[in-house]
Amino acid sequence: GLSYQWQISDSNAGPWSDIANQTNASANLTAVPLPGATNFYRRKITCNSSGLLTYSSIKTFATTAVTYCGTDVPPANNNLLYIDSFKFVGTLNDNPTAFTSAGSGYSDFTNLTPVVKQQQGSVLNIVASAKGVVNGNIQARGGRWKAWVDFNGDGIYGATELVYSLTKFSTESLTFGFVIPPTTPIGKYRLRIKVGNTSTFDSCTGSTSGETEDYLFEVIADCSAKVNTASLSDVSRCGTGPVILSATG
């Protein structure tokens, strides 16, 4: 008999990732909703008796490009409050830290490479800080913060796509995270982070000073093999000695 596994890639040459629960001869697939992206799909076919495998022809699917909103902050206020550093942390691969030395109102960092990767159902953590000009000097400066992910790829960071909000008080730096829903289709997604001087701003409007930045991250398939951290007798150790790990999957 034969077994099947549908796979996805953002390049005709791979690398390829298995699509969870798509193991039938035919598949009804949900396109990765990143606007302006092309994804490639194929079927891996394995002969169960011999272990030999082959692949189907590759099919492509392209999503329509959209234009995201920028900022409504007046240019004269760009340096009053801006994001000076941003980084994804605790992910499966390292990515560059984005630094800025002056405010621009809006910055698009979706071209940073490598694109950070995190598994379905895992937490994506972020560290960010803000600065601003006070009495002619650049210094750390507090603001209100929000973050969104365009999960449906419609070019709008909607209210239901808000993944973080800190508006009750101002802070100059923060660390936060959000859970990637386990059913999120694998692929790349666009994240927006915004710092502002009010508590009522949305992803496009509502601040007279602040900055908006966009980033890209990639969701990959969850892996059944995991280290069981709950069973650790030592979560940290200085010096020599055993650390006992257990794993599942």
Side-chain angles (χ1 to χ4, degrees), residues 77-89:
N77 293 348
N78 282 349
N79 284 329
L80 295 181
L81 177 65
Y82 61 91
I83 301 170
D84 82 302
S85 71
F86 173 97
K87 187 175 179 64
F88 292 108
V89 294

Side-chain angles (χ1 to χ4, degrees), residues 30 57 62 119 123 138 141 154 180 184 200 221-222:
T30 300
S57 58
Q119 292 174 320
V123 176
I138 297 176
R141 190 167 193 183
D154 63 354
I180 300 170
T184 302
T200 57
D222 189 19

Side-chain angles (χ1 to χ4, degrees), residues 5-8 16-20 44 186 221:
Q5 175 63 63
W6 287 86
Q7 298 179 318
I8 186 174
W16 295 87
S17 299
D18 291 345
I19 303 174
K44 182 172 71 173
I186 59 177

Side-chain angles (χ1 to χ4, degrees), residues 13-14 75 119 168 176-177 214 228 239:
Q119 292 174 320
K168 292 184 177 181
F176 69 94
D214 285 351
N228 184 10

